[in-house]
């Protein structure tokens, strides 16, 4: 220990003392407080030892201290013991309860040894100190009150009352200070838990421990103590807010962030590490699992498939938040995802019922179809309006929301339109608007509202007389714009009762195709024209019909031989005519008049004399039948027998309409008049000629009758005068002379047949009467 003389030094001094029997053995004690500055007064050693101060220098005063350090010195001038260097009791004596420095004072001449003991008194010059200024302690948050946390004691090199006296702890709601005294008297501070901890409220408690000594003034030392509350998994993960709602448009892209869950776990470490997962149950549908994904680490919920408001407008999602503590604790987050409808659906048109076909006579307001309209969207996006084209004879009537009736709005006519393509357009009120079209084909059923019509109200046909029964005469045709049974036509011949013999005995009509057949051979000379009324009737109910008239003209055939009507000759007898002997060539002897029951060309006659071997001084005009003298007669000649033969003319009689009949087709452009242009005119002329011939034969009329009539009765009307009738005994125009058998002068016409004298006859066509 510093200040103590070594063993060797002690032995040497002892030997010296023993060898010096007269050495003084006095010991002087001094007490000085530590910490005195060098030069401080300790004691008057010269006086206390009884040594003359003046001799101190002469006697070589030496002051020896243990350890060789000169803590003190003697002032030889006054013999005062002074502090040589600042004394530190703690440095010199440490933890010893007493601290004294032993000094040896040696004087020579004579040699003397004095013992001097300087007690170093403790001064409270040291404050208590803790081994560590920062102390860290740990305690679990679930520790029970009363739990103790020992602390390291503070150190104070001072002794006695200057050493550690007590400890103090800063104020705390959870901790208190407890001081225990060991057997050696050392005071041991401890922290005692008084109130349960909650790491989540305060994870660390900061305290200050103060060590106080008993000095005056009191010195102290402090240590900062941090009590770390160790986490226990006593807190479940908590979702903030526990129930949330998110609005999301239905047409967002896959991968869109729905929400970021805000979950906190007041624990730390594994106790506060949270993993996320969807929670499903038997009571809650798990369809959202295919639509949403959850990041188990971050708690982000995103879409992973297209969303459809029409499938589901909202999803209830429960997320389990579970920490990694042991035992693990979990919390739950409830999320409601409500989809915002987007107009992504076109309206639907639902045809509930359709009455097709509909009769064309359906009155306005007849319900044709029931149509529904719906749209899977909501709000304005799902509000649907139906419409059809305005030009159709239909309209839509709204019965109640989303339901319409398609009704007729005007008259229908199947014959104008057998069906309608009705396009129904459904438009929603979204933005942008979406629409759908559906075409309904409505068939119009036929009603027998059309009368069958012939292609013409009257028909004209011709048939040769003597045609064999069963021959086709004519075909009539009719049409009916109706369809089906209403347009199935049947033909029939009507018996009007105006004929003596029913017309149906002459003709038959095929009821299916309208072909008319002759039931018997017809005789032109008996019936020249038939009025055949034909009826066509449909098969509707009630049946509708119409009629047409067939004017059937019988065409003449040359089936009748000519008959001489003048001069009248009984069968088997001859006609005698006296000719004056003075008659000159060209003299008109007589005129032969013949008729033919046929008509037209078949009734055109030519005359000629039967050839004989004897020369004949007469000739007959080919066309007129006039017999004239060709050469002078002799009175002595015997009577001549003439045989007239009559026949139809040669083909050179068949002239064009621009020509009139005449010898060798001669034409006189100066002659006007109408030439009969049809069978009726010819027949009328023929009847007039026959009547005139009969009158002549009866003697009621002369050949030279009224002027311009040539014996024709006036009852036949003035329309057929001399210019129209070539000769009153012919039923055709006769070209050439118009001379009569008796001239107005009463003389025979002595001119030749080639004379141009007499009245000229007009030719041409006569208008039909």
């Amino acid at each position: 220990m510093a200040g103590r003389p070594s063993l060797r030094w002690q032995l040497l001094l002892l030997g010296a003392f023993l060898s010096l029997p007269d050495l003084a053995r006095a010991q002087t004690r001094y007490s000085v407080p530590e910490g005195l500055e060098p030069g401080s007064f300790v004691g008057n050693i010269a006086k206390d030892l009884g040594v003359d101060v003046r001799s101190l220098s002469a006697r070589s005063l030496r002051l020896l201290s243990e350890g060789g350090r000169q803590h003190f010195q003697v002032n030889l001038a006054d013999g005062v013991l002074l502090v040589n260097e600042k004394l530190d009791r703690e440095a010199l004596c440490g933890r010893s309860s007493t601290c004294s420095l032993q000094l040896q004072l040696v004087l020579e001449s004579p040699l003397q040894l004095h013992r001097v003991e300087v007690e170093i008194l403790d001064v409270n010059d040291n404050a208590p100190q803790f081994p560590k200024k920062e102390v860290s302690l740990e305690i679990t948050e679930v520790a029970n009150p009363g739990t103790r946390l020992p602390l390291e004691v503070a150190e104070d090199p001072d002794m006695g009352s200057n050493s550690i006296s007590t400890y103090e702890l800063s104020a705390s709601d959870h901790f208190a200070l407890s001081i225990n005294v060991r057997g050696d008297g050392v005071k041991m501070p401890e922290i005692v838990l008084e109130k349960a901890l909650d790491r989540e409220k305060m994870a660390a408690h900061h305290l200050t421990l103060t060590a106080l000594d008993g000095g005056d003034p009191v010195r102290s030392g402090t240590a900062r103590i941090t009590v770390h509350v160790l986490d226990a998994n006593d807190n479940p993960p908590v979702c903030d807010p526990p129930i949330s709602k998110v609005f999301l448009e239905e047409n967002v892209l896959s991968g869109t962030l729905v929400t970021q869950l805000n979950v906190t776990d007041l624990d730390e470490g594994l106790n506060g590490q949270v993993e996320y997962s969807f929670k499903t149950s038997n009571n809650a549908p798990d369809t959202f699992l295919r639509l949403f994904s959850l990041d188990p680490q971050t708690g982000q919920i995103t879409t992973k498939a297209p969303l459809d408001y029409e499938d589901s407008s909202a999803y209830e999602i429960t997320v389990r938040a579970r920490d990694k503590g042991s035992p693990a604790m979990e919390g739950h987050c409830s999320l409601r995802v409500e989809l915002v409808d987007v107009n992504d659906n076109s309206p639907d048109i639902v045809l509930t019922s359709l009455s097709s076909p509909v009769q064309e006579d359906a009155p306005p307001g007849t319900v044709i179809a029931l149509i529904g309209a719906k749209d899977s969207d909501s709000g304005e996006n799902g509000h649907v309006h139906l419409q059809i084209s305005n030009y159709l004879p239909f309209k839509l009537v709204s019965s109640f929301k989303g339901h319409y009736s398609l009704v007729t709005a005007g008259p229908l006519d199947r014959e104008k339109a057998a069906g309608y393509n009705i396009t129904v357009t459904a438009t929603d009120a979204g933005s942008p608007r979406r629409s759908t079209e559906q075409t309904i084909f409505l068939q119009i059923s036929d009603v027998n509202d059309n009368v069958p019509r012939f292609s013409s109200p009257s028909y004209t046909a011709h048939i040769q007389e003597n045609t064999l029964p069963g021959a086709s005469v004519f075909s009539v045709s009719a049409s009916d714009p109706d369809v089906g049974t209403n347009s199935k036509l049947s033909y029939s011949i009507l018996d009007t009762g105006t004929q003596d013999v029913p017309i149906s005995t002459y003709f038959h009509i095929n009821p299916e195709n309208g072909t008319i057949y002759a039931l018997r051979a017809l005789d032109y000379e008996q019936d020249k024209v038939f009025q055949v009324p034909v009826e066509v009737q449909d098969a509707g109910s009630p049946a509708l019909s119409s009629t047409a008239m067939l004017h059937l003209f019988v065409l003449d055939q040359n089936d009748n031989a000519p008959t001489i009507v003048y001069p009248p000759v009984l069968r088997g007898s001859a006609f005698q005519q006296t000719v004056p002997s003075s008659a000159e060539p060209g003299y008109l002897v007589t005129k032969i008049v013949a008729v033919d029951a046929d008509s037209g060309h078949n009734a055109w006659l030519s005359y000629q004399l039967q050839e004989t071997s004897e020369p004949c001084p007469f000739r007959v005009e080919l066309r007129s039948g006039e017999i004239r003298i060709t050469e002078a007669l002799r009175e002595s000649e015997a009577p001549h027998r003439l045989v007239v033969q009559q026949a139809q003319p040669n083909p050179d009689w068949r002239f064009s309409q621009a020509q009139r009949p005449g010898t060798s087709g001669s034409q006189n452009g100066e002659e006007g008049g109408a030439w009969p242009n049809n069978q009726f005119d010819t027949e009328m002329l023929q009847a007039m000629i026959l009547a005139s011939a009969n009158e002549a034969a009866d003697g009621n009329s002369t050949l030279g009758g009224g002027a311009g009539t040539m014996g024709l009765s006036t009852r036949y009307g003035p329309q057929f005068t001399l210019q129209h009738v070539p000769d009153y005994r012919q039923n055709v125009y006769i070209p050439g002379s118009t001379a009569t058998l008796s001239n107005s002068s009463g003389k025979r016409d002595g001119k030749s047949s080639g004379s141009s004298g007499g009245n000229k006859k007009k030719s041409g066509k006569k208008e039909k009467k």
Side-chain angles (χ1 to χ4, degrees), residues 367-388:
V367 178
I368 297 171
L370 298 178
I371 304 174
K374 64 179 181 177
D375 195 316
S376 301
D377 297 321
S378 62
E380 292 297 316
N381 296 334
H383 183 71
V384 182
H385 173 69
L386 289 186
Q387 63 181 7
I388 63 173

Side-chain angles (χ1 to χ4, degrees), residues 672-678 680-688 707-709 712-726 733 762-769:
W675 173 253
N677 61 353
N678 56 45
F680 293 112
D681 292 348
T682 305
E683 291 170 353
M684 185 175 290
L685 290 174
Q686 182 178 8
M688 293 164 57
T709 64
L712 294 180
S713 172
T714 57
R715 71 173 180 269
Y716 296 103
Q719 67 269 36
F720 294 108
T721 59
L722 180 61
Q723 61 178 349
H724 296 92
V725 183
Y733 285 98
K762 304 288 185 178
S763 65
K765 298 180 66 176
K766 185 178 184 298
E767 292 294 328
K768 179 180 178 181
K769 298 298 183 179

Side-chain angles (χ1 to χ4, degrees), residues 289-308:
L289 294 178
R290 63 180 178 83
L291 301 175
F292 302 95
S293 62
L294 173 64
D295 190 315
Q297 304 301 325
T298 64
Q300 284 187 344
I301 298 178
T302 57
T303 61
K304 68 177 182 179
L307 304 177
D308 192 348

